[in-house]
Amino acid sequence: MTAEAAPPVAPREWTAEPADVLLADGTVAVIRSLREDDREAVLALHESVSVDTLRLRFFSPSREAGRHYVAHLFAPDNTGSAALVAVIRGRVAGLATAELLSPDTAEVAFLVADEDRGRGLGSLLLEHLAALGRRHGVSRFEAEVLGDNYGMLRVFRAAGFGATRRTLEGEVAVELRTDASREAVEAADRREWRAAARSLQPLLHPSSVAVVGVRRSAGGFGHGVLQAIRSSSYAGALHVIHPEAPSIDGVPARPSLAELDGPVDLVVVAVPADGVADVLRDAAANGAGAAVVISSGFSGAGSDERRHELLELARSHSLRLVGPDSQGVLANADGLNATLLHDVPELGGLAVASQSGGMGFALLDLARDVGLGVQAFVSLGDKIDVSSNDLLAAWMDDDAVAAGALYLESFGNALKFARTARRFAEQKPLLAVVGGRSRARQDPAAASTVGVGVDALLDQSGVIACRTGAELTETALLLVEQPLPAGLRVCIVSNTGGVGALSTDRADGQGMLVAPTSIELGDAVRAAAPHAVDVRNPVDLGADVTPAELTAALRAVLDSGEADAVLVMLVANRLTDRDALFAAVADARPAGTDVPLLLVTPGAAFDAARGLPGVTVYRTTDAAIGALGRAMRYAEWRRVPADQPEVELGTRGVHARTWARTRLAARAGEPEWLAPAAQAELLAPYGIHLVGTLAAGPEDAERAADDIGYPVAVKVADPTVLHKSDRGLVRIDVRTGADVADAVRRFAEELGRPDIDVLVQPLVLGHQASVGLVRDPQLGPLVRVAGGSAAQAGSWAEDVLLLPPVEAADAARAVRALRLWPQLVGDHGLEEVDLAPLEALVVSVGRLAVDVPHVADLTLEPVVVNAHGLFCVDVKVRIAEPPELDTGIPRRLRS
């Protein structure tokens, strides 16, 4: 059965929604479909470019060629051309066209204004034209390019669309795929990260600041921000805007931004909500680079329209906008405190972005309390423009930023966040606290904000997930001050045995290895501290250990190569000089410089120990071990190289996607639960096989059982039949052919059908797992791996979610996180099994999710793993038309 194909849409009718995009220099442009009223502007573009540009475009230095092409493009009978334009502040700066050659192939050409070359317009137009073509079935672009058109050839080569080239007599024939391949997405991401970083320079490093909305008298948000700036060490130009006052608090005031002598980098807006749009218009007229809107009042009736007005004003004038309802920005390196924060942390390496101003201030207060220096802070507020993705792009290549920290309650573009966060975390630590989880569990509408996939999103991106702000700052302190641990081994050194024993239990709960010291190391510690109580790990040096003994013992441990981190636990007493012991820990630091060195000392002694060079100090054992455990897991993630699974379609993927698309078209798009035969067609190429034999009727089932060998299980194969077990439509441990035939007849009677298909399976025993796909509203399909009982809870997970495509390393980590894991590796006397088949199945399901987005539901349960291999005992697959997800290409700013 085949579906009747819908008539193709003529390219002239292809339309693309207007998209705000960032150019390479941080300017905002708009890419949209060509309109009839663009004729004069497009003609002006062709008339404005140089003769040499015309030669490169039309292979002839003739303005007449450009005029003829514009006439062709707008001719009423030309239905075979699709076109996009790039608009910068109302001016058409670029044109991209596609002339359909066949249903799946189009010839493309590009023209960019001479003044806008080098700003990335060609790459952006190509990305958006490829997306438009994909939507209408065009899988390949062709282009004829002069050999000396180096700019255009560079665009094609760098786009990641799998370009191939043929050169003949000074001309280059280029062919490109239009699919959003991994290379294309990575190339687009790199360009966008650079553009975002440039666009945020006026926000993160402003050379001038203007505050709008300051009262003449003290009080109010504007006055608070002005006081904060004046009390900081900011050396840039500071302006106050007030319609009437000549000065406020000794700062000269101007009635409007337009009356300043030149553009201002950053405008802080603290006027009532109704006046914010007028201030942004004033800022746009001034040529300002960024604005932070402190003003609230953009929720409730009509709020969407007002927020949209602010965004339109900002985008149309390349003004990056933070807020509304922001609590300001802190640029500590520049001495700028444009927030309402009272006490600013010392300058350091942590950059913080927070969706909640209050939570952001709490993080900064916690950072100050633990002695963690801060480089920058941005309160995102309603984040109608600038988001955490933008800030990560700006901070990832900033050498002054040693680590990033986020407090988030939503993900505007979760897939883009995953890619950006991973790139950041591959270079430096990224920590996050995510709020709103309980609301998402209770309210389905909130699940689209913080969905079930948030843990998968963070884990696979290398983000260090923290439950509280205290966990975040404690972990960040360690990561900023110490080298990354090289493994999971920790040596605990204390001056009291009880503390060491309790710390060992906590370390074990974090997955650390507290292994006994070697004989050689034990002898070295005993030589350093002759009166040590225990030189095994945990090491108890005794309550009367001297500073010199402590230093020598720690140096022996640090240099031994037996510890990936050293945790020192000191309880102050009257037998030794407390401060001298603290200094002794620091004196040991020249040894083992690549090994993290932590000190825990409770109570009042903590303040005396802070600031020790080369040592990270904590007040409690839980804080230290929690931070070290998170740092070790992050370091382990960093050590596993990304194997970069392919995301583009191969032959298998093309076939599977076409199969699903055709099958749905035959049903007019109606979703379908696949029967076993159809399941096999879809899943077998991915190495996923349902164990057993499909049989039609009693006799066929009996023959199948004879071939398999008894005992067997028999079940109805029809996937639309529900509650099979409750209705007696599943029989297990069937031991004779007659019993098999009788079971099938009883199934037929129950269903009221003369003929039914059944599945005959061998009885398979072993460890039971579950693998499948679930859908998140923002992330799309997620691979779910589950296994193990509640009795095995401990620190193991009931299930793990993964973002496809799944790397082999991620699959291995997922299996090792399950409650089932100890059984699989032979704990408690159980037989150890080969994990490779289960890990391969997880990777295959992830590959299927990428290749065939039409797979709406997939459950492989149970999946039995034993010494003989892996067996899928039950399979459920539903296909449906897939929702459209933002894959990150073409690039566009959030709307």
Side-chain angles (χ1 to χ4, degrees):
M1 179 177 180
T2 58
E4 183 178 344
V9 179
R12 183 71 169 265
E13 303 302 319
W14 296 359
T15 58
E17 290 295 318
D20 294 329
V21 296
L22 270 181
L23 304 186
D25 61 359
T27 301
V28 179
V30 178
I31 293 180
R32 59 167 173 79
S33 294
L34 183 72
R35 302 191 304 235
E36 289 297 328
D37 60 357
D38 286 326
R39 183 181 186 120
E40 292 304 317
V42 171
L43 182 59
L45 170 65
H46 285 76
E47 294 291 334
S48 70
V49 299
S50 69
V51 171
D52 192 58
T53 298
L54 289 172
R55 177 186 67 83
L56 294 174
R57 166 62 182 88
F58 295 105
F59 294 28
S60 169
S62 166
R63 296 209 175 272
E64 204 56 39
R67 294 166 190 151
H68 280 306
Y69 187 71
V70 172
H72 158 76
L73 202 57
F74 286 91
D77 59 347
N78 174 21
T79 60
S81 301
L84 299 175
V85 292
V87 181
I88 302 176
R89 299 199 178 191
R91 172 178 58 86
V92 171
L95 171 71
T97 58
E99 306 277 351
L100 201 63
L101 301 177
S102 69
D104 66 348
T105 306
E107 182 178 14
V108 296
F110 301 84
L111 181 68
V112 173
D114 290 344
E115 65 187 281
D116 296 302
R117 294 175 71 175
R119 304 177 79 181
L121 269 178
S123 298
L124 283 161
L125 284 166
L126 175 58
E127 290 174 23
H128 284 259
L129 195 61
L132 187 62
R134 282 197 303 272
R135 286 201 295 272
H136 293 280
V138 174
S139 60
R140 190 177 65 193
F141 280 167
E142 295 181 359
E144 297 291 333
V145 186
L146 284 176
D148 62 341
N149 191 349
Y150 305 117
M152 199 68 245
L153 291 172
R154 200 160 41 242
V155 166
F156 287 140
R157 185 171 58 250
F161 283 117
T164 59
R165 299 168 32 154
R166 289 179 291 106
T167 304
L168 182 64
E169 296 181 356
E171 296 180 11
V172 181
V174 180
E175 290 188 5
L176 307 95
R177 299 194 310 268
T178 64
D179 58 297
S181 67
R182 184 192 72 221
E183 290 84 359
V185 173
E186 287 180 350
D189 281 342
R190 285 193 298 270
R191 289 189 287 264
E192 183 159 28
W193 292 331
R194 289 193 296 267
R198 291 191 183 101
S199 75
L200 294 185
Q201 280 296 305
L203 171 72
L204 300 177
H205 300 287
S207 60
S208 55
V209 179
V211 184
V212 186
V214 183
R215 300 176 185 171
R216 291 176 189 248
S217 56
F221 289 102
H223 208 279
V225 171
L226 178 61
Q227 283 184 322
I229 296 174
R230 294 191 67 207
S231 63
S232 69
S233 59
Y234 181 63
L238 176 61
H239 308 281
V240 173
I241 306 302
H242 193 283
E244 299 172 352
S247 66
I248 294 179
D249 287 356
V251 180
R254 297 288 185 89
S256 73
L257 289 161
E259 295 195 24
L260 295 176
D261 293 336
V264 65
D265 275 347
L266 176 62
V267 179
V268 180
V269 184
V271 301
D274 291 341
V276 172
D278 287 335
V279 174
L280 292 187
R281 290 188 186 93
D282 191 21
N286 167 266
V292 174
V293 179
I294 306 288
S295 316
S296 58
F298 289 86
S299 59
S303 59
D304 288 344
E305 291 79 5
R306 288 196 294 172
R307 282 200 291 258
H308 182 71
E309 180 186 17
L310 301 187
L311 185 60
E312 284 289 307
L313 280 168
R315 294 277 172 82
S316 62
H317 294 87
S318 298
L319 179 74
R320 296 312 306 264
L321 179 63
V322 174
D325 204 15
S326 167
Q327 296 297 302
V329 296
L330 173 70
N332 234 3
D334 301 307
L336 175 65
N337 175 22
T339 74
L340 300 175
L341 186 67
H342 191 272
D343 297 309
V344 176
E346 294 294 321
L347 175 64
L350 185 68
V352 182
S354 177
Q355 197 169 337
S356 160
M359 185 62 189
F361 286 174
L363 287 174
L364 296 183
D365 284 339
L366 288 166
R368 191 186 64 254
D369 287 346
V370 300
L372 174 61
V374 171
Q375 177 73 204
F377 165 70
V378 178
S379 168
L380 291 167
D382 290 348
K383 59 175 190 177
I384 64 172
D385 177 31
V386 174
S387 69
S388 56
N389 289 340
D390 297 309
L391 292 169
L392 291 179
W395 290 333
M396 67 172 61
D397 292 323
D398 186 343
D399 292 338
V401 174
L406 305 173
Y407 173 76
L408 299 173
E409 294 176 351
S410 65
F411 298 89
N413 184 333
L415 294 175
K416 181 178 177 182
F417 173 84
R419 296 193 308 275
T420 306
R422 183 170 192 125
R423 166 66 186 274
F424 190 103
E426 285 171 347
Q427 301 177 74
K428 58 188 78 173
L430 177 59
L431 306 98
V433 175
V434 178
R437 291 172 183 259
S438 59
R439 186 173 74 249
R441 287 192 294 269
Q442 298 163 9
D443 179 6
S448 63
T449 302
V450 182
V452 296
V454 64
D455 291 323
L457 178 72
L458 299 180
D459 289 345
Q460 279 182 265
S461 303
V463 179
I464 303 167
C466 302
R467 296 171 300 175
T468 65
E471 281 189 358
L472 187 150
T473 52
E474 290 158 1
T475 308
L477 179 69
L478 178 65
L479 290 164
V480 167
E481 292 188 348
Q482 298 291 330
L484 286 178
L488 301 176
R489 302 170 303 167
V490 60
C491 184
I492 299 172
V493 180
S494 73
N495 64 346
T496 174
V499 171
L502 288 174
S503 300
T504 300
D505 293 339
R506 288 180 170 85
D508 184 65
Q510 285 283 339
M512 300 179 201
L513 302 176
V514 188
T517 56
S518 67
I519 295 175
E520 293 77 13
L521 178 56
D523 289 345
V525 172
R526 179 73 68 186
H531 304 293
V533 176
D534 193 344
V535 294
R536 297 170 299 174
N537 192 11
V539 176
D540 179 4
L541 296 178
D544 58 349
V545 63
T546 68
E549 291 171 345
L550 177 59
T551 296
L554 287 177
R555 285 181 176 175
V557 173
L558 288 166
D559 281 339
S560 69
E562 296 185 21
D564 300 310
V566 176
L567 178 61
V568 183
M569 320 282 296
L570 293 181
V571 177
N573 59 52
R574 292 185 178 275
L575 299 177
T576 55
D577 183 331
R578 181 195 69 182
D579 293 346
L581 283 181
F582 293 159
V585 176
D587 289 343
R589 193 21 138 177
T593 54
D594 58 346
V595 177
L597 179 58
L598 293 73
L599 170 63
V600 176
T601 184
F606 170 75
D607 291 328
R610 286 177 59 171
L612 289 173
V615 184
T616 299
V617 184
Y618 291 96
R619 190 188 301 274
T620 68
T621 304
D622 285 345
I625 290 180
L628 183 57
R630 286 183 284 275
M632 284 181 163
R633 289 189 290 274
Y634 168 67
E636 187 176 27
W637 179 87
R638 282 272 295 264
R639 283 192 297 274
V640 177
D643 52 20
Q644 296 295 332
E646 294 295 315
V647 296
E648 58 264 21
L649 288 176
T651 303
R652 176 182 64 179
V654 170
H655 175 79
R657 185 177 293 188
T658 302
W659 182 90
R661 187 184 291 141
T662 302
R663 195 173 183 94
L664 285 167
R667 297 168 56 89
E670 182 184 352
E672 177 186 10
W673 286 99
L674 298 182
Q679 291 175 2
E681 287 185 63
L682 176 64
L683 301 181
Y686 293 86
I688 303 171
H689 304 279
L690 177 63
V691 66
T693 303
L694 190 64
E699 293 78 13
D700 197 16
E702 186 174 349
R703 284 191 294 272
D706 290 340
D707 292 339
I708 291 171
Y710 297 94
V712 297
V714 187
K715 65 179 85 169
V716 170
D718 186 347
T720 64
V721 176
L722 304 178
H723 311 298
K724 294 175 186 174
S725 297
D726 295 341
R727 298 175 63 182
L729 300 177
V730 178
R731 297 285 181 89
I732 60 172
D733 199 25
V734 183
R735 295 182 172 271
T736 68
D739 288 341
V740 169
D742 180 64
V744 176
R745 293 187 188 97
R746 291 180 182 274
F747 292 167
E749 290 175 8
E750 169 66 22
L751 295 174
R753 303 177 189 171
D755 301 307
I756 61 167
D757 290 337
V758 297
L759 187 65
V760 184
Q761 298 178 302
L763 285 184
V764 184
L765 302 178
H767 307 291
Q768 294 192 1
S770 172
V771 181
L773 293 175
V774 297
R775 286 202 169 266
D776 181 270
Q778 288 187 308
L779 297 175
L782 298 170
V783 179
R784 177 179 179 268
V785 192
S789 66
Q792 301 160 317
S795 61
W796 313 105
E798 178 182 354
D799 61 4
V800 178
L801 296 173
L802 299 166
L803 284 167
V806 177
E807 301 177 6
D810 287 329
R813 277 192 288 261
V815 171
R816 284 157 179 75
L818 295 175
R819 292 174 180 173
L820 184 63
W821 162 250
Q823 299 177 46
L824 297 176
V825 295
D827 275 13
H828 307 296
L830 297 172
E831 183 180 17
E832 184 175 359
V833 300
D834 184 8
L835 300 174
L838 181 57
E839 293 168 2
L841 178 64
V842 174
V843 172
S844 292
V845 170
R847 180 70 257 173
L848 175 68
V850 172
D851 288 353
V852 192
H854 309 77
V855 177
D857 294 283
L858 172 67
T859 304
L860 311 176
E861 184 180 23
V863 173
V864 177
V865 186
N866 60 31
H868 303 289
L870 177 145
F871 306 90
C872 295
V873 176
D874 196 32
V875 176
K876 296 182 179 67
V877 188
R878 184 173 69 94
I879 59 173
E881 292 295 341
E884 188 169 342
L885 291 172
D886 187 347
T887 61
I889 186 170
R891 288 170 283 159
R892 62 184 303 154
L893 291 168
R894 290 189 310 128
S895 57

